[in-house]
Amino acid sequence: MNKENILEALANSCITFSPESFIPYLMSDNVIVSMPTKVVFYSFFKRMVNYSKSISSGRSYLKVEKVDFEQNQFYYNFYDEIHQFARLTIVVTILEEKIELDVLPF
């Protein structure tokens, strides 16, 4: 799985509130996580996606924002139609061969 496919699957799983659809991509050797294991990461990711669904109104959409202090780091911010602030934020760090993921808590 290449980085573009992984990032697209990540975005789709968050927009459609279906974290389970990201599992095959998460288990790829090209993905590393900020938590001790991918299982722990997935558990937290799933809770955050489900919570964002419960606090969102209308359709969800992605806005990718570059983090100023890191050239290869981005915030994947997921917004709804009503609220001004992101309902879910995932920090994506693009490394040479891999992607590192971290979910920010509310």
Side-chain angles (χ1 to χ4, degrees), residues 6 15 17 19 25 31 33 39 42 47-48 53 55 61-62 64 74 77 79 81 83 92 96 105:
I6 294 167
I15 289 171
F17 305 111
Y25 298 90
V31 175
V33 295
V39 173
Y42 177 74
R47 281 196 316 265
M48 293 302 289
K53 180 180 181 179
I55 63 170
Y61 65 93
L62 168 64
V64 178
F74 301 87
N77 288 318
Y79 295 89
E81 295 175 341
H83 297 93
V92 176
E96 196 169 306

Side-chain angles (χ1 to χ4, degrees), residues 6-85:
I6 294 167
L7 293 174
E8 183 178 331
L10 174 66
N12 287 336
S13 70
C14 294
I15 289 171
T16 61
F17 305 111
S18 58
E20 65 281 350
S21 67
F22 187 62
I23 292 173
Y25 298 90
L26 176 61
M27 293 303 152
S28 166
D29 290 337
N30 294 335
V31 175
I32 56 177
V33 295
S34 61
M35 296 184 179
T37 67
K38 290 183 178 182
V39 173
V40 172
F41 174 86
Y42 177 74
S43 176
F44 184 65
F45 171 73
K46 180 179 175 181
R47 281 196 316 265
M48 293 302 289
V49 170
N50 289 334
Y51 181 69
S52 71
K53 180 180 181 179
S54 72
I55 63 170
S56 294
S57 300
R59 295 186 64 190
S60 181
Y61 65 93
L62 168 64
K63 184 176 178 186
V64 178
E65 299 175 22
K66 191 171 188 177
V67 180
D68 291 334
F69 55 91
E70 285 288 335
Q71 187 174 5
N72 60 347
Q73 195 171 55
F74 301 87
Y75 287 153
Y76 273 49
N77 288 318
F78 296 89
Y79 295 89
D80 66 4
E81 295 175 341
I82 307 288
H83 297 93
Q84 178 182 5
F85 299 103

